[in-house]
Short mmCIF file of all heavy atoms in Angstrom, two decimals:
data_model
loop_
_atom_site.label_atom_id
_atom_site.label_comp_id
_atom_site.label_asym_id
_atom_site.label_seq_id
_atom_site.Cartn_x
_atom_site.Cartn_y
_atom_site.Cartn_z
N MET P 38 5.51 5.08 -4.08
CA MET P 38 4.97 4.85 -2.75
C MET P 38 4.13 3.57 -2.77
O MET P 38 3.09 3.53 -3.41
CB MET P 38 4.09 6.02 -2.33
CG MET P 38 4.80 7.31 -2.31
SD MET P 38 5.76 7.40 -0.81
CE MET P 38 5.98 9.14 -0.68
N LEU P 39 4.61 2.54 -2.11
CA LEU P 39 3.86 1.29 -2.02
C LEU P 39 3.31 1.15 -0.61
O LEU P 39 4.03 1.36 0.36
CB LEU P 39 4.76 0.09 -2.33
CG LEU P 39 5.26 -0.04 -3.75
CD1 LEU P 39 6.18 -1.25 -3.87
CD2 LEU P 39 4.12 -0.18 -4.72
N ASP P 40 2.05 0.80 -0.52
CA ASP P 40 1.44 0.55 0.78
C ASP P 40 1.69 -0.91 1.13
O ASP P 40 1.12 -1.81 0.53
CB ASP P 40 -0.05 0.85 0.71
CG ASP P 40 -0.76 0.61 2.03
OD1 ASP P 40 -0.06 0.46 3.07
OD2 ASP P 40 -2.00 0.59 2.04
N LYS P 41 2.58 -1.13 2.09
CA LYS P 41 3.00 -2.50 2.39
C LYS P 41 1.88 -3.36 2.98
O LYS P 41 1.99 -4.57 2.98
CB LYS P 41 4.21 -2.50 3.30
CG LYS P 41 3.97 -1.94 4.68
CD LYS P 41 5.24 -1.91 5.48
CE LYS P 41 5.01 -1.33 6.86
NZ LYS P 41 6.24 -1.22 7.60
N LYS P 42 0.82 -2.75 3.46
CA LYS P 42 -0.28 -3.53 4.04
C LYS P 42 -1.43 -3.74 3.07
O LYS P 42 -2.40 -4.42 3.40
CB LYS P 42 -0.78 -2.85 5.31
CG LYS P 42 0.25 -2.86 6.41
CD LYS P 42 -0.28 -2.26 7.68
CE LYS P 42 0.78 -2.33 8.77
NZ LYS P 42 0.30 -1.81 10.04
N ASP P 43 -1.33 -3.19 1.87
CA ASP P 43 -2.37 -3.38 0.87
C ASP P 43 -2.31 -4.81 0.33
O ASP P 43 -1.25 -5.25 -0.11
CB ASP P 43 -2.18 -2.38 -0.28
CG ASP P 43 -3.18 -2.59 -1.39
OD1 ASP P 43 -4.39 -2.59 -1.10
OD2 ASP P 43 -2.75 -2.75 -2.54
N PRO P 44 -3.40 -5.55 0.37
CA PRO P 44 -3.39 -6.96 -0.05
C PRO P 44 -2.90 -7.18 -1.48
O PRO P 44 -2.17 -8.13 -1.75
CB PRO P 44 -4.83 -7.40 0.09
CG PRO P 44 -5.47 -6.41 0.99
CD PRO P 44 -4.71 -5.14 0.85
N CYS P 45 -3.27 -6.29 -2.39
CA CYS P 45 -2.85 -6.47 -3.78
C CYS P 45 -1.39 -6.10 -3.98
O CYS P 45 -0.72 -6.66 -4.85
CB CYS P 45 -3.76 -5.68 -4.71
SG CYS P 45 -5.43 -6.41 -4.79
N THR P 46 -0.88 -5.18 -3.18
CA THR P 46 0.55 -4.87 -3.23
C THR P 46 1.35 -6.06 -2.71
O THR P 46 2.38 -6.43 -3.29
CB THR P 46 0.87 -3.61 -2.39
OG1 THR P 46 0.09 -2.52 -2.89
CG2 THR P 46 2.34 -3.26 -2.46
N ILE P 47 0.87 -6.67 -1.65
CA ILE P 47 1.52 -7.88 -1.13
C ILE P 47 1.51 -8.96 -2.21
O ILE P 47 2.53 -9.60 -2.46
CB ILE P 47 0.82 -8.39 0.15
CG1 ILE P 47 0.95 -7.37 1.28
CG2 ILE P 47 1.41 -9.73 0.58
CD1 ILE P 47 0.10 -7.69 2.50
N PHE P 48 0.37 -9.13 -2.87
CA PHE P 48 0.26 -10.13 -3.93
C PHE P 48 1.27 -9.86 -5.04
O PHE P 48 1.98 -10.77 -5.49
CB PHE P 48 -1.16 -10.14 -4.51
CG PHE P 48 -1.29 -10.98 -5.74
CD1 PHE P 48 -1.35 -12.36 -5.65
CD2 PHE P 48 -1.32 -10.40 -7.00
CE1 PHE P 48 -1.44 -13.15 -6.78
CE2 PHE P 48 -1.41 -11.17 -8.13
CZ PHE P 48 -1.48 -12.55 -8.03
N MET P 49 1.35 -8.61 -5.48
CA MET P 49 2.26 -8.25 -6.57
C MET P 49 3.72 -8.53 -6.20
O MET P 49 4.45 -9.16 -6.96
CB MET P 49 2.08 -6.76 -6.91
CG MET P 49 3.01 -6.26 -7.99
SD MET P 49 2.94 -4.47 -8.17
CE MET P 49 3.68 -3.95 -6.63
N CYS P 50 4.12 -8.11 -5.01
CA CYS P 50 5.51 -8.29 -4.60
C CYS P 50 5.85 -9.75 -4.30
O CYS P 50 6.94 -10.22 -4.62
CB CYS P 50 5.81 -7.41 -3.39
SG CYS P 50 5.82 -5.64 -3.80
N MET P 51 4.92 -10.47 -3.74
CA MET P 51 5.19 -11.89 -3.45
C MET P 51 5.14 -12.74 -4.72
O MET P 51 5.83 -13.74 -4.82
CB MET P 51 4.21 -12.41 -2.41
CG MET P 51 4.40 -11.80 -1.02
SD MET P 51 6.09 -11.90 -0.40
CE MET P 51 6.27 -13.66 -0.18
N THR P 52 4.36 -12.32 -5.71
CA THR P 52 4.37 -13.00 -7.00
C THR P 52 5.74 -12.84 -7.66
O THR P 52 6.27 -13.77 -8.25
CB THR P 52 3.27 -12.45 -7.92
OG1 THR P 52 2.01 -12.67 -7.31
CG2 THR P 52 3.28 -13.11 -9.28
N GLU P 53 6.29 -11.64 -7.51
CA GLU P 53 7.65 -11.40 -8.01
C GLU P 53 8.64 -12.37 -7.37
O GLU P 53 9.45 -12.98 -8.05
CB GLU P 53 8.04 -9.96 -7.61
CG GLU P 53 8.58 -9.13 -8.69
CD GLU P 53 8.95 -7.75 -8.17
OE1 GLU P 53 9.59 -7.61 -7.12
OE2 GLU P 53 8.58 -6.80 -8.85
N LYS P 54 8.56 -12.52 -6.07
CA LYS P 54 9.45 -13.43 -5.35
C LYS P 54 9.19 -14.88 -5.78
O LYS P 54 10.14 -15.66 -5.94
CB LYS P 54 9.26 -13.28 -3.84
CG LYS P 54 10.23 -14.13 -3.03
CD LYS P 54 10.19 -13.74 -1.58
CE LYS P 54 11.13 -14.57 -0.74
NZ LYS P 54 12.53 -14.37 -1.08
N LEU P 55 7.96 -15.23 -5.98
CA LEU P 55 7.60 -16.57 -6.42
C LEU P 55 8.23 -16.90 -7.78
O LEU P 55 8.67 -18.02 -8.01
CB LEU P 55 6.08 -16.70 -6.49
CG LEU P 55 5.47 -18.06 -6.75
CD1 LEU P 55 5.78 -19.00 -5.59
CD2 LEU P 55 3.97 -17.94 -6.92
N GLU P 56 8.29 -15.90 -8.65
CA GLU P 56 8.87 -16.08 -9.98
C GLU P 56 10.39 -15.97 -9.98
O GLU P 56 11.02 -16.18 -11.00
CB GLU P 56 8.26 -15.07 -10.95
CG GLU P 56 6.79 -15.32 -11.20
CD GLU P 56 6.14 -14.23 -12.01
OE1 GLU P 56 6.78 -13.20 -12.28
OE2 GLU P 56 4.97 -14.41 -12.38
N GLY P 57 10.99 -15.59 -8.86
CA GLY P 57 12.44 -15.54 -8.76
C GLY P 57 13.07 -14.18 -8.98
O GLY P 57 14.28 -14.04 -8.93
#
Side-chain angles (χ1 to χ4, degrees):
M38 301 281 201
L39 292 178
D40 180 13
K41 65 183 179 184
K42 293 183 178 182
D43 176 54
C45 290
T46 302
I47 296 170
F48 171 77
M49 177 189 68
C50 291
M51 292 308 293
T52 299
E53 230 181 46
K54 184 169 180 65
L55 188 64
E56 293 173 353

